[in-house]
Amino acid sequence: MKIAVAGTGYVGLVTGVCLAEHGHQVTCVDVDEEKIARMQQGVSPIYEPGLEELMRKNRERLFYTTDTCDAYRDAEVVFIGVGTPEKKDGSANLRYVFQAAEQIAAAACRDCVVVVKSTVPIGTNEKVEELVRRKARPGVTLSVASNPEFLAQGTAIADTLHASRIVIGVEEEASGETLRRVYRDFDAPILVTNRRSAEMIKYASNDFLALKISYINEIANLCETVGADIEDVARGMGYDSRIGNKFLQAGIGYGGSCFPKDTKALSWLASFNDNELKTIKATIEVNENQKFKLVKKARRYYDDFRGLTVAVLGLTFKPGTDDLREAPSLVSIPILLDDDARVKAWDPVGVENYRKHYPTQIEYCPTPQEALDGADLCLIFTEWPEVKALTPADFRERMRRAIVIDGRNCYPLKAMEGEGVTYDSIGRKRIVE
Ligand code: UDX
C-alpha cells in the first residue's frame, strides 16, 4: 500500500520503517531538511538499536521528504506521528497534530484514512476529523482513525513488529478494513474499538505502568525503613500472574518521553472534567520525590558536596537510548554543581545530548573506570551493562572513598558484602564499610 508518515521522531520513523519492512511503500515527512538529508543517506536521526539496519534493508520502499504535497497527494493512508509535548499546565500541546492534519487535507487528492498515532487526549480524533473534512479538496473523503503505539525506546523495532496488540479506533467499518490491510502481515492481536476507547487505552496503559513503578518505589522506600528487601519482595509479588513480574524494578523513578507527559496529561484531562484521578496524582508526586533519592542518600555521607569529586555513572533515563528527557540525572546533577562539586560523568551514548545542557561544567569520561578515579562518591543513574560489569575492586581501588549509591540496584548485595565498599541501593540493606 502507499503510505505516508508525518513526523520522523521515535513514533513516526519506527512506524514508517516497520511498515516498509512489511512491504508497504512509505514516505516519511519532516520539516527538518537536515534530518531528511541524513535519512536519505541511511542515517537515523535517533539512536535506536536495529533501526538503521532496517532503513538500509528497505531503502527501495522508503522515501524521505520535506514536501508535504508530494508525500500526501496519493497516499492511501497517512499516519500522524508528530510530538505532543507538555504545556506548562500539564495538558498536551496538539499544535503539531493539527498542523499535520491541515497539510494532509490540503494535499490529498484521493480518499484516504488519516491515522493518529501520536498520543492525544480523548476526543482529539474527532477534532482532527472535523478539521480534515472541512479543509479537504472537493470530492475527496478523508476519515480519521486512532491507532496508538506502545513502543518503548531501545526495543522500539521489536515492540512494533511483534506488538503486544494493535489497537484500531474507528467510527466506520471501511477505515477499520483499511487498517487491517495495513497490518495484515504483522504478528499481533488486533483490537478494533471506537476512537475514544482507543485513545483512552493508550493513556490508561501508560499510566498504569507508571503507577506500578511508583507503587514499587514506595514499597522499596518502606523496605529500607523496616528492613525488608525489595528485590525479594518484588520477586514474591511477581509469581502471582494477576500482578505479573514486569515493571516491578524499584529505582529512582521513571523518566522518558511518555510516562511523565502522559500521567500529567491524563491527570489534567480528568481534573478538567471534574473527575480527579487520585491514583495518577499520587503516581506523579511519588515519582518527583523519587528522582531526588540519590542526592538525599548522599547527604547521609556528606553535609554538602563542596570540593568533592563525584562519579556519575549513566545519564540517560534508561539504558539503550541517548534520550535525556525527564532523566533523573537532570534534577540531581545541578544540585551537585550548585554545591561546587567536581562531577565526572560516564555514559555510552548520552554524552552528546548532555553536553548541550552542560558543555563545560562536567568532565565527561570515556570509560566508567576513569569516572571513578579519585572520586569521593559514586552515583549510579542508569543500569548500562558496562556499569553492571564493574566489580567491587573497581570502586575500592579507584575511588578515594568507596561510597557507591546505586539508583538502579545493579549489583546483588552478596557481591558487595565484605568488599570494602559502602554500598547504598534502593529498598535494600545498606552495606557500610
Ligand atoms: C514507555 C512504555 O513502556 C511504552 O509502552 C510507551 O509506548 C512509551 O513509554 P519508554 O519510555 O521508552 O516506554 O521506556 P520504559 O522501558 O517503559 O521505561 C520508562 C521509565 O520507567 C524508565 O525511566 C525506566 O527506568 C523506568 N522503569 C521501568 C522503572 O523504574 N522500573 C521498571 O520496572 C520499569
Side-chain angles (χ1 to χ4, degrees), residues 114-164:
V114 178
V115 185
V116 179
K117 220 174 210 329
S118 308
T119 301
V120 291
I122 293 89
T124 303
N125 273 259
E126 266 163 46
K127 291 185 188 151
V128 173
E129 185 162 87
E130 191 273 318
L131 176 74
V132 294
R133 293 219 157 143
R134 190 158 39 84
K135 302 259 173 167
R137 290 170 177 239
V140 174
T141 305
L142 301 176
S143 50
V144 173
S146 164
N147 173 220
E149 52 75 28
F150 300 97
L151 57 87
Q153 288 174 223
T155 53
I157 300 288
D159 291 346
T160 308
L161 291 178
H162 312 283
S164 51

Side-chain angles (χ1 to χ4, degrees), residues 27-133:
T27 305
C28 300
V29 185
D30 206 287
V31 285
D32 187 335
E33 293 199 3
E34 204 187 304
K35 220 170 151 188
I36 291 292
R38 281 168 66 198
M39 289 189 282
Q40 282 166 341
Q41 304 298 316
V43 180
S44 165
I46 50 175
Y47 173 82
E48 182 61 38
L51 182 58
E52 268 188 5
E53 285 83 339
L54 282 193
M55 285 169 76
R56 292 198 186 127
K57 181 176 164 211
N58 294 292
R59 62 178 167 271
E60 275 159 26
R61 284 189 290 273
L62 269 171
F63 306 90
Y64 306 96
T65 183
T66 52
D67 186 341
T68 53
C69 291
D70 201 35
Y72 305 144
R73 186 181 300 125
D74 57 353
E76 203 174 332
V77 179
V78 183
F79 283 87
I80 299 182
V82 297
T84 50
E86 188 183 312
K87 285 195 199 165
K88 289 245 178 301
D89 62 359
S91 65
N93 185 343
L94 297 173
R95 132 180 208 206
Y96 304 109
V97 172
F98 292 131
Q99 212 171 57
E102 274 201 43
Q103 288 168 340
I104 296 163
C109 292
R110 60 175 289 186
D111 293 355
C112 155
V113 182
V114 178
V115 185
V116 179
K117 220 174 210 329
S118 308
T119 301
V120 291
I122 293 89
T124 303
N125 273 259
E126 266 163 46
K127 291 185 188 151
V128 173
E129 185 162 87
E130 191 273 318
L131 176 74
V132 294
R133 293 219 157 143

Side-chain angles (χ1 to χ4, degrees), residues 365-381:
C365 300
T367 64
Q369 285 83 358
E370 281 165 79
L372 293 177
D373 282 338
D376 301 287
L377 176 70
C378 168
L379 303 182
I380 300 178
F381 287 94

Side-chain angles (χ1 to χ4, degrees), residues 362-410:
I362 294 174
E363 287 172 49
Y364 298 100
C365 300
T367 64
Q369 285 83 358
E370 281 165 79
L372 293 177
D373 282 338
D376 301 287
L377 176 70
C378 168
L379 303 182
I380 300 178
F381 287 94
T382 322
E383 66 277 34
W384 286 102
E386 294 89 332
V387 175
K388 288 177 140 183
L390 292 172
T391 63
D394 286 318
F395 297 110
R396 189 179 57 237
E397 286 162 18
R398 290 178 175 270
M399 294 176 72
R400 189 155 47 202
R401 223 182 131 193
I403 300 176
V404 180
I405 308 186
D406 179 1
R408 299 294 181 186
N409 291 0
C410 290

Side-chain angles (χ1 to χ4, degrees), residues 149-153 202 206 213 247-249 253-255 258-259 317-318 408:
E149 52 75 28
F150 300 97
L151 57 87
Q153 288 174 223
K202 169 69 190 178
N206 265 5
I213 296 169
F247 274 68
L248 288 179
Q249 177 68 49
Y254 57 77
C258 292
F259 291 162
F317 80 94
K318 68 169 192 179
R408 299 294 181 186

Side-chain angles (χ1 to χ4, degrees), residues 239-386:
Y239 277 114
D240 187 330
S241 60
R242 292 169 303 176
I243 297 172
N245 58 12
K246 305 221 169 69
F247 274 68
L248 288 179
Q249 177 68 49
I252 39 171
Y254 57 77
S257 61
C258 292
F259 291 162
K261 172 170 78 76
D262 295 349
T263 42
K264 285 184 214 153
L266 191 63
S267 182
W268 182 90
L269 185 78
S271 299
F272 184 73
N273 287 293
D274 291 330
N275 225 323
E276 192 185 32
L277 286 176
K278 291 201 171 70
T279 47
I280 302 307
K281 275 192 143 176
T283 298
I284 296 167
E285 194 187 328
V286 169
N287 197 60
E288 313 242 288
N289 288 331
Q290 199 71 7
K291 284 186 173 180
F292 291 103
K293 185 98 186 171
L294 291 192
V295 169
K296 272 196 202 147
K297 275 180 181 277
R299 297 238 188 254
R300 277 191 194 157
Y301 307 94
Y302 297 105
D303 285 341
D304 73 52
F305 305 117
R306 198 170 311 277
L308 297 183
T309 300
V310 183
V312 167
L313 302 184
L315 296 167
T316 56
F317 80 94
K318 68 169 192 179
T321 176
D322 62 353
D323 202 327
L324 297 176
R325 280 176 283 181
E326 304 280 343
S329 70
L330 281 177
V331 296
S332 298
I333 290 182
I335 299 173
L336 302 173
L337 293 174
D338 274 353
D339 262 11
D340 288 331
R342 174 184 173 209
V343 176
K344 294 174 76 187
W346 172 85
D347 191 286
V349 293
V351 167
E352 200 183 316
N353 285 337
Y354 223 82
R355 259 190 226 283
K356 292 177 194 156
H357 296 271
Y358 298 103
T360 54
Q361 304 87 324
I362 294 174
E363 287 172 49
Y364 298 100
C365 300
T367 64
Q369 285 83 358
E370 281 165 79
L372 293 177
D373 282 338
D376 301 287
L377 176 70
C378 168
L379 303 182
I380 300 178
F381 287 94
T382 322
E383 66 277 34
W384 286 102
E386 294 89 332

